[in-house]
PDB file of all heavy atoms in Angstrom:
ATOM      1  N   GLY G   1       9.148   1.271   3.588  1.00 95.00           N
ATOM      2  CA  GLY G   1       7.765   0.863   3.905  1.00 95.00           C
ATOM      3  C   GLY G   1       7.267   1.454   5.195  1.00 95.00           C
ATOM      4  O   GLY G   1       6.244   1.038   5.717  1.00 95.00           O
ATOM      5  N   ASN G   2       8.000   2.428   5.747  1.00 95.00           N
ATOM      6  CA  ASN G   2       7.550   3.049   6.996  1.00 95.00           C
ATOM      7  C   ASN G   2       6.565   4.174   6.851  1.00 95.00           C
ATOM      8  O   ASN G   2       5.856   4.438   7.801  1.00 95.00           O
ATOM      9  CB  ASN G   2       8.823   3.618   7.725  1.00 95.00           C
ATOM     10  CG  ASN G   2       9.797   2.534   8.143  1.00 95.00           C
ATOM     11  OD1 ASN G   2       9.367   1.447   8.679  1.00 95.00           O
ATOM     12  ND2 ASN G   2      11.095   2.686   7.820  1.00 95.00           N
ATOM     13  N   SER G   3       6.474   4.771   5.688  1.00 98.00           N
ATOM     14  CA  SER G   3       5.558   5.880   5.408  1.00 98.00           C
ATOM     15  C   SER G   3       4.729   5.545   4.224  1.00 98.00           C
ATOM     16  O   SER G   3       5.245   5.141   3.215  1.00 98.00           O
ATOM     17  CB  SER G   3       6.337   7.182   5.186  1.00 98.00           C
ATOM     18  OG  SER G   3       7.055   7.559   6.356  1.00 98.00           O
ATOM     19  N   THR G   4       3.456   5.692   4.361  1.00 98.00           N
ATOM     20  CA  THR G   4       2.545   5.397   3.260  1.00 98.00           C
ATOM     21  C   THR G   4       1.610   6.589   3.088  1.00 98.00           C
ATOM     22  O   THR G   4       1.347   7.391   3.937  1.00 98.00           O
ATOM     23  CB  THR G   4       1.716   4.122   3.573  1.00 98.00           C
ATOM     24  OG1 THR G   4       0.986   4.305   4.806  1.00 98.00           O
ATOM     25  CG2 THR G   4       2.592   2.938   3.707  1.00 98.00           C
ATOM     26  N   TYR G   5       1.062   6.650   1.817  1.00 98.00           N
ATOM     27  CA  TYR G   5       0.272   7.816   1.398  1.00 98.00           C
ATOM     28  C   TYR G   5      -0.825   7.252   0.506  1.00 98.00           C
ATOM     29  O   TYR G   5      -0.665   6.323  -0.265  1.00 98.00           O
ATOM     30  CB  TYR G   5       1.144   8.774   0.580  1.00 98.00           C
ATOM     31  CG  TYR G   5       2.456   9.083   1.266  1.00 98.00           C
ATOM     32  CD1 TYR G   5       3.571   8.315   1.054  1.00 98.00           C
ATOM     33  CD2 TYR G   5       2.569  10.173   2.128  1.00 98.00           C
ATOM     34  CE1 TYR G   5       4.805   8.563   1.624  1.00 98.00           C
ATOM     35  CE2 TYR G   5       3.765  10.453   2.709  1.00 98.00           C
ATOM     36  CZ  TYR G   5       4.885   9.669   2.531  1.00 98.00           C
ATOM     37  OH  TYR G   5       6.029   9.933   3.107  1.00 98.00           O
ATOM     38  N   TYR G   6      -2.047   7.901   0.709  1.00 98.00           N
ATOM     39  CA  TYR G   6      -3.251   7.421  -0.011  1.00 98.00           C
ATOM     40  C   TYR G   6      -4.024   8.571  -0.553  1.00 98.00           C
ATOM     41  O   TYR G   6      -4.176   9.603   0.180  1.00 98.00           O
ATOM     42  CB  TYR G   6      -4.127   6.505   0.862  1.00 98.00           C
ATOM     43  CG  TYR G   6      -3.391   5.362   1.398  1.00 98.00           C
ATOM     44  CD1 TYR G   6      -2.792   5.401   2.645  1.00 98.00           C
ATOM     45  CD2 TYR G   6      -3.360   4.133   0.764  1.00 98.00           C
ATOM     46  CE1 TYR G   6      -2.115   4.290   3.210  1.00 98.00           C
ATOM     47  CE2 TYR G   6      -2.728   3.003   1.260  1.00 98.00           C
ATOM     48  CZ  TYR G   6      -2.115   3.115   2.509  1.00 98.00           C
ATOM     49  OH  TYR G   6      -1.489   2.043   3.049  1.00 98.00           O
ATOM     50  N   ARG G   7      -4.722   8.405  -1.675  1.00 98.00           N
ATOM     51  CA  ARG G   7      -5.756   9.328  -2.002  1.00 98.00           C
ATOM     52  C   ARG G   7      -6.871   9.171  -1.130  1.00 98.00           C
ATOM     53  O   ARG G   7      -7.145   8.057  -0.559  1.00 98.00           O
ATOM     54  CB  ARG G   7      -6.110   9.187  -3.470  1.00 98.00           C
ATOM     55  CG  ARG G   7      -6.899   8.000  -3.839  1.00 98.00           C
ATOM     56  CD  ARG G   7      -7.277   7.977  -5.341  1.00 98.00           C
ATOM     57  NE  ARG G   7      -8.155   9.072  -5.678  1.00 98.00           N
ATOM     58  CZ  ARG G   7      -7.775  10.099  -6.449  1.00 98.00           C
ATOM     59  NH1 ARG G   7      -6.576  10.132  -7.058  1.00 98.00           N
ATOM     60  NH2 ARG G   7      -8.689  11.089  -6.715  1.00 98.00           N
ATOM     61  N   ASP G   8      -7.736  10.171  -0.904  1.00 98.00           N
ATOM     62  CA  ASP G   8      -8.728  10.214   0.074  1.00 98.00           C
ATOM     63  C   ASP G   8      -9.739   9.069  -0.122  1.00 98.00           C
ATOM     64  O   ASP G   8     -10.252   8.520   0.867  1.00 98.00           O
ATOM     65  CB  ASP G   8      -9.411  11.543   0.086  1.00 98.00           C
ATOM     66  CG  ASP G   8      -8.647  12.658   0.738  1.00 98.00           C
ATOM     67  OD1 ASP G   8      -7.651  12.362   1.363  1.00 98.00           O
ATOM     68  OD2 ASP G   8      -9.005  13.840   0.516  1.00 98.00           O
ATOM     69  N   SER G   9     -10.132   8.792  -1.337  1.00 98.00           N
ATOM     70  CA  SER G   9     -11.140   7.880  -1.637  1.00 98.00           C
ATOM     71  C   SER G   9     -10.829   6.414  -1.309  1.00 98.00           C
ATOM     72  O   SER G   9     -11.727   5.581  -1.200  1.00 98.00           O
ATOM     73  CB  SER G   9     -11.555   7.950  -3.139  1.00 98.00           C
ATOM     74  OG  SER G   9     -10.481   7.593  -3.973  1.00 98.00           O
ATOM     75  N   VAL G  10      -9.569   6.124  -1.052  1.00 98.00           N
ATOM     76  CA  VAL G  10      -9.174   4.777  -0.691  1.00 98.00           C
ATOM     77  C   VAL G  10      -8.679   4.636   0.720  1.00 98.00           C
ATOM     78  O   VAL G  10      -8.382   3.500   1.191  1.00 98.00           O
ATOM     79  CB  VAL G  10      -8.118   4.156  -1.652  1.00 98.00           C
ATOM     80  CG1 VAL G  10      -8.656   4.303  -3.119  1.00 98.00           C
ATOM     81  CG2 VAL G  10      -6.747   4.768  -1.473  1.00 98.00           C
ATOM     82  N   LYS G  11      -8.582   5.808   1.466  1.00 98.00           N
ATOM     83  CA  LYS G  11      -8.052   5.675   2.809  1.00 98.00           C
ATOM     84  C   LYS G  11      -8.986   4.843   3.696  1.00 98.00           C
ATOM     85  O   LYS G  11     -10.203   4.941   3.625  1.00 98.00           O
ATOM     86  CB  LYS G  11      -7.967   7.115   3.382  1.00 98.00           C
ATOM     87  CG  LYS G  11      -6.862   7.927   2.913  1.00 98.00           C
ATOM     88  CD  LYS G  11      -6.808   9.298   3.533  1.00 98.00           C
ATOM     89  CE  LYS G  11      -5.677  10.142   2.902  1.00 98.00           C
ATOM     90  NZ  LYS G  11      -5.697  11.543   3.500  1.00 98.00           N
ATOM     91  N   GLY G  12      -8.345   3.962   4.489  1.00 98.00           N
ATOM     92  CA  GLY G  12      -9.094   3.068   5.346  1.00 98.00           C
ATOM     93  C   GLY G  12      -9.506   1.779   4.638  1.00 98.00           C
ATOM     94  O   GLY G  12      -9.968   0.844   5.295  1.00 98.00           O
ATOM     95  N   ARG G  13      -9.375   1.716   3.311  1.00 98.00           N
ATOM     96  CA  ARG G  13      -9.747   0.490   2.586  1.00 98.00           C
ATOM     97  C   ARG G  13      -8.571  -0.159   1.892  1.00 98.00           C
ATOM     98  O   ARG G  13      -8.508  -1.412   1.835  1.00 98.00           O
ATOM     99  CB  ARG G  13     -10.806   0.837   1.514  1.00 98.00           C
ATOM    100  CG  ARG G  13     -12.063   1.442   2.067  1.00 98.00           C
ATOM    101  CD  ARG G  13     -13.165   1.549   1.011  1.00 98.00           C
ATOM    102  NE  ARG G  13     -12.730   2.485  -0.108  1.00 98.00           N
ATOM    103  CZ  ARG G  13     -12.594   2.121  -1.312  1.00 98.00           C
ATOM    104  NH1 ARG G  13     -12.806   0.825  -1.674  1.00 98.00           N
ATOM    105  NH2 ARG G  13     -12.241   3.015  -2.254  1.00 98.00           N
ATOM    106  N   PHE G  14      -7.603   0.606   1.477  1.00 98.00           N
ATOM    107  CA  PHE G  14      -6.423   0.090   0.799  1.00 98.00           C
ATOM    108  C   PHE G  14      -5.241   0.202   1.656  1.00 98.00           C
ATOM    109  O   PHE G  14      -5.091   1.133   2.462  1.00 98.00           O
ATOM    110  CB  PHE G  14      -6.158   0.898  -0.514  1.00 98.00           C
ATOM    111  CG  PHE G  14      -7.161   0.712  -1.646  1.00 98.00           C
ATOM    112  CD1 PHE G  14      -8.357   0.044  -1.419  1.00 98.00           C
ATOM    113  CD2 PHE G  14      -6.817   1.125  -2.873  1.00 98.00           C
ATOM    114  CE1 PHE G  14      -9.281  -0.089  -2.473  1.00 98.00           C
ATOM    115  CE2 PHE G  14      -7.701   0.968  -3.927  1.00 98.00           C
ATOM    116  CZ  PHE G  14      -8.909   0.354  -3.749  1.00 98.00           C
ATOM    117  N   THR G  15      -4.307  -0.725   1.534  1.00 98.00           N
ATOM    118  CA  THR G  15      -3.040  -0.758   2.219  1.00 98.00           C
ATOM    119  C   THR G  15      -1.919  -1.046   1.288  1.00 98.00           C
ATOM    120  O   THR G  15      -1.916  -2.126   0.667  1.00 98.00           O
ATOM    121  CB  THR G  15      -3.052  -1.721   3.377  1.00 98.00           C
ATOM    122  OG1 THR G  15      -4.107  -1.472   4.295  1.00 98.00           O
ATOM    123  CG2 THR G  15      -1.730  -1.687   4.214  1.00 98.00           C
ATOM    124  N   ILE G  16      -0.993  -0.139   1.178  1.00 98.00           N
ATOM    125  CA  ILE G  16       0.170  -0.349   0.332  1.00 98.00           C
ATOM    126  C   ILE G  16       1.304  -0.889   1.226  1.00 98.00           C
ATOM    127  O   ILE G  16       1.461  -0.473   2.394  1.00 98.00           O
ATOM    128  CB  ILE G  16       0.619   0.936  -0.362  1.00 98.00           C
ATOM    129  CG1 ILE G  16       1.673   0.614  -1.397  1.00 98.00           C
ATOM    130  CG2 ILE G  16       1.037   1.976   0.628  1.00 98.00           C
ATOM    131  CD1 ILE G  16       2.026   1.830  -2.321  1.00 98.00           C
ATOM    132  N   SER G  17       2.033  -1.821   0.741  1.00 98.00           N
ATOM    133  CA  SER G  17       3.182  -2.379   1.484  1.00 98.00           C
ATOM    134  C   SER G  17       4.228  -2.837   0.440  1.00 98.00           C
ATOM    135  O   SER G  17       3.991  -2.862  -0.785  1.00 98.00           O
ATOM    136  CB  SER G  17       2.771  -3.518   2.371  1.00 98.00           C
ATOM    137  OG  SER G  17       2.212  -4.608   1.616  1.00 98.00           O
ATOM    138  N   ARG G  18       5.407  -3.158   0.967  1.00 98.00           N
ATOM    139  CA  ARG G  18       6.440  -3.694   0.120  1.00 98.00           C
ATOM    140  C   ARG G  18       7.310  -4.685   0.840  1.00 98.00           C
ATOM    141  O   ARG G  18       7.466  -4.560   2.121  1.00 98.00           O
ATOM    142  CB  ARG G  18       7.333  -2.499  -0.372  1.00 98.00           C
ATOM    143  CG  ARG G  18       8.116  -1.788   0.653  1.00 98.00           C
ATOM    144  CD  ARG G  18       8.688  -0.467   0.159  1.00 98.00           C
ATOM    145  NE  ARG G  18       9.725  -0.696  -0.915  1.00 98.00           N
ATOM    146  CZ  ARG G  18      10.161   0.218  -1.729  1.00 98.00           C
ATOM    147  NH1 ARG G  18       9.627   1.441  -1.690  1.00 98.00           N
ATOM    148  NH2 ARG G  18      11.080  -0.123  -2.668  1.00 98.00           N
ATOM    149  N   ASP G  19       7.843  -5.618   0.128  1.00 98.00           N
ATOM    150  CA  ASP G  19       8.772  -6.552   0.700  1.00 98.00           C
ATOM    151  C   ASP G  19      10.039  -6.428  -0.116  1.00 98.00           C
ATOM    152  O   ASP G  19      10.206  -6.894  -1.288  1.00 98.00           O
ATOM    153  CB  ASP G  19       8.245  -8.002   0.540  1.00 98.00           C
ATOM    154  CG  ASP G  19       9.083  -9.046   1.235  1.00 98.00           C
ATOM    155  OD1 ASP G  19      10.339  -8.820   1.395  1.00 98.00           O
ATOM    156  OD2 ASP G  19       8.599 -10.142   1.514  1.00 98.00           O
ATOM    157  N   ASN G  20      11.003  -5.667   0.487  1.00 98.00           N
ATOM    158  CA  ASN G  20      12.227  -5.357  -0.304  1.00 98.00           C
ATOM    159  C   ASN G  20      13.106  -6.615  -0.559  1.00 98.00           C
ATOM    160  O   ASN G  20      13.859  -6.610  -1.473  1.00 98.00           O
ATOM    161  CB  ASN G  20      13.030  -4.316   0.478  1.00 98.00           C
ATOM    162  CG  ASN G  20      12.387  -2.947   0.477  1.00 98.00           C
ATOM    163  OD1 ASN G  20      11.714  -2.632  -0.491  1.00 98.00           O
ATOM    164  ND2 ASN G  20      12.638  -2.136   1.434  1.00 98.00           N
ATOM    165  N   ALA G  21      12.969  -7.622   0.301  1.00 97.00           N
ATOM    166  CA  ALA G  21      13.723  -8.844   0.060  1.00 97.00           C
ATOM    167  C   ALA G  21      13.215  -9.605  -1.155  1.00 97.00           C
ATOM    168  O   ALA G  21      14.002 -10.360  -1.791  1.00 97.00           O
ATOM    169  CB  ALA G  21      13.687  -9.760   1.296  1.00 97.00           C
ATOM    170  N   LYS G  22      11.969  -9.322  -1.515  1.00 98.00           N
ATOM    171  CA  LYS G  22      11.373  -9.963  -2.664  1.00 98.00           C
ATOM    172  C   LYS G  22      11.182  -9.071  -3.859  1.00 98.00           C
ATOM    173  O   LYS G  22      10.628  -9.445  -4.905  1.00 98.00           O
ATOM    174  CB  LYS G  22       9.979 -10.575  -2.317  1.00 98.00           C
ATOM    175  CG  LYS G  22      10.065 -11.700  -1.267  1.00 98.00           C
ATOM    176  CD  LYS G  22       8.727 -12.252  -0.984  1.00 98.00           C
ATOM    177  CE  LYS G  22       8.721 -13.382   0.032  1.00 98.00           C
ATOM    178  NZ  LYS G  22       7.403 -13.947   0.358  1.00 98.00           N
ATOM    179  N   ASN G  23      11.635  -7.824  -3.715  1.00 98.00           N
ATOM    180  CA  ASN G  23      11.471  -6.809  -4.738  1.00 98.00           C
ATOM    181  C   ASN G  23       9.995  -6.731  -5.213  1.00 98.00           C
ATOM    182  O   ASN G  23       9.753  -6.657  -6.387  1.00 98.00           O
ATOM    183  CB  ASN G  23      12.407  -7.110  -5.954  1.00 98.00           C
ATOM    184  CG  ASN G  23      13.838  -6.755  -5.721  1.00 98.00           C
ATOM    185  OD1 ASN G  23      14.221  -6.404  -4.600  1.00 98.00           O
ATOM    186  ND2 ASN G  23      14.610  -6.876  -6.747  1.00 98.00           N
ATOM    187  N   THR G  24       9.132  -6.706  -4.271  1.00 98.00           N
ATOM    188  CA  THR G  24       7.720  -6.749  -4.598  1.00 98.00           C
ATOM    189  C   THR G  24       6.933  -5.691  -3.844  1.00 98.00           C
ATOM    190  O   THR G  24       7.158  -5.454  -2.596  1.00 98.00           O
ATOM    191  CB  THR G  24       7.156  -8.098  -4.195  1.00 98.00           C
ATOM    192  OG1 THR G  24       7.850  -9.119  -4.932  1.00 98.00           O
ATOM    193  CG2 THR G  24       5.672  -8.177  -4.606  1.00 98.00           C
ATOM    194  N   LEU G  25       6.014  -5.042  -4.570  1.00 98.00           N
ATOM    195  CA  LEU G  25       5.131  -4.077  -4.035  1.00 98.00           C
ATOM    196  C   LEU G  25       3.749  -4.648  -4.006  1.00 98.00           C
ATOM    197  O   LEU G  25       3.339  -5.356  -4.955  1.00 98.00           O
ATOM    198  CB  LEU G  25       5.088  -2.824  -4.929  1.00 98.00           C
ATOM    199  CG  LEU G  25       4.174  -1.675  -4.642  1.00 98.00           C
ATOM    200  CD1 LEU G  25       4.630  -0.927  -3.377  1.00 98.00           C
ATOM    201  CD2 LEU G  25       4.050  -0.741  -5.823  1.00 98.00           C
ATOM    202  N   TYR G  26       2.970  -4.298  -2.990  1.00 98.00           N
ATOM    203  CA  TYR G  26       1.631  -4.840  -2.823  1.00 98.00           C
ATOM    204  C   TYR G  26       0.600  -3.772  -2.649  1.00 98.00           C
ATOM    205  O   TYR G  26       0.919  -2.650  -2.142  1.00 98.00           O
ATOM    206  CB  TYR G  26       1.521  -5.754  -1.582  1.00 98.00           C
ATOM    207  CG  TYR G  26       2.501  -6.916  -1.625  1.00 98.00           C
ATOM    208  CD1 TYR G  26       3.668  -6.901  -0.929  1.00 98.00           C
ATOM    209  CD2 TYR G  26       2.211  -8.088  -2.328  1.00 98.00           C
ATOM    210  CE1 TYR G  26       4.571  -7.933  -0.888  1.00 98.00           C
ATOM    211  CE2 TYR G  26       3.036  -9.125  -2.332  1.00 98.00           C
ATOM    212  CZ  TYR G  26       4.251  -9.077  -1.589  1.00 98.00           C
ATOM    213  OH  TYR G  26       5.107 -10.128  -1.642  1.00 98.00           O
ATOM    214  N   LEU G  27      -0.612  -4.095  -3.015  1.00 98.00           N
ATOM    215  CA  LEU G  27      -1.744  -3.221  -2.680  1.00 98.00           C
ATOM    216  C   LEU G  27      -2.903  -4.107  -2.225  1.00 98.00           C
ATOM    217  O   LEU G  27      -3.486  -4.797  -3.059  1.00 98.00           O
ATOM    218  CB  LEU G  27      -2.177  -2.367  -3.886  1.00 98.00           C
ATOM    219  CG  LEU G  27      -3.263  -1.321  -3.538  1.00 98.00           C
ATOM    220  CD1 LEU G  27      -2.729  -0.237  -2.623  1.00 98.00           C
ATOM    221  CD2 LEU G  27      -3.780  -0.661  -4.882  1.00 98.00           C
ATOM    222  N   GLN G  28      -3.167  -4.061  -0.961  1.00 98.00           N
ATOM    223  CA  GLN G  28      -4.326  -4.817  -0.387  1.00 98.00           C
ATOM    224  C   GLN G  28      -5.536  -3.926  -0.511  1.00 98.00           C
ATOM    225  O   GLN G  28      -5.531  -2.840   0.004  1.00 98.00           O
ATOM    226  CB  GLN G  28      -4.050  -5.181   1.049  1.00 98.00           C
ATOM    227  CG  GLN G  28      -5.269  -5.962   1.708  1.00 98.00           C
ATOM    228  CD  GLN G  28      -5.516  -7.322   1.136  1.00 98.00           C
ATOM    229  OE1 GLN G  28      -4.555  -8.023   0.946  1.00 98.00           O
ATOM    230  NE2 GLN G  28      -6.734  -7.601   0.826  1.00 98.00           N
ATOM    231  N   MET G  29      -6.559  -4.409  -1.210  1.00 98.00           N
ATOM    232  CA  MET G  29      -7.776  -3.589  -1.423  1.00 98.00           C
ATOM    233  C   MET G  29      -8.907  -4.317  -0.768  1.00 98.00           C
ATOM    234  O   MET G  29      -9.259  -5.405  -1.144  1.00 98.00           O
ATOM    235  CB  MET G  29      -8.017  -3.426  -2.922  1.00 98.00           C
ATOM    236  CG  MET G  29      -6.809  -2.806  -3.625  1.00 98.00           C
ATOM    237  SD  MET G  29      -7.190  -2.447  -5.417  1.00 98.00           S
ATOM    238  CE  MET G  29      -7.427  -4.101  -5.945  1.00 98.00           C
ATOM    239  N   ASN G  30      -9.498  -3.672   0.251  1.00 98.00           N
ATOM    240  CA  ASN G  30     -10.702  -4.190   0.888  1.00 98.00           C
ATOM    241  C   ASN G  30     -11.885  -3.316   0.684  1.00 98.00           C
ATOM    242  O   ASN G  30     -11.734  -2.117   0.298  1.00 98.00           O
ATOM    243  CB  ASN G  30     -10.370  -4.332   2.423  1.00 98.00           C
ATOM    244  CG  ASN G  30      -9.265  -5.263   2.743  1.00 98.00           C
ATOM    245  OD1 ASN G  30      -9.012  -6.249   2.039  1.00 98.00           O
ATOM    246  ND2 ASN G  30      -8.512  -4.964   3.805  1.00 98.00           N
TER     247      ASN G  30
END
């Protein structure tokens, strides 16, 4: 979860994250 990558159209609005202890990937979309 240290490096993240985004397509240009969502940069600054979306945030990808992960919780490896929960085996879960997230996408926060604002």
Side-chain angles (χ1 to χ4, degrees):
N2 296 312
S3 296
T4 57
Y5 313 87
Y6 302 91
R7 71 178 298 111
D8 287 344
S9 63
V10 308
K11 287 180 179 177
R13 300 188 298 118
F14 289 12
T15 302
I16 189 171
S17 62
R18 65 193 295 164
D19 186 337
N20 288 333
K22 297 180 178 180
N23 283 8
T24 302
L25 177 73
Y26 302 98
L27 186 67
Q28 178 67 47
M29 305 184 296
N30 298 325

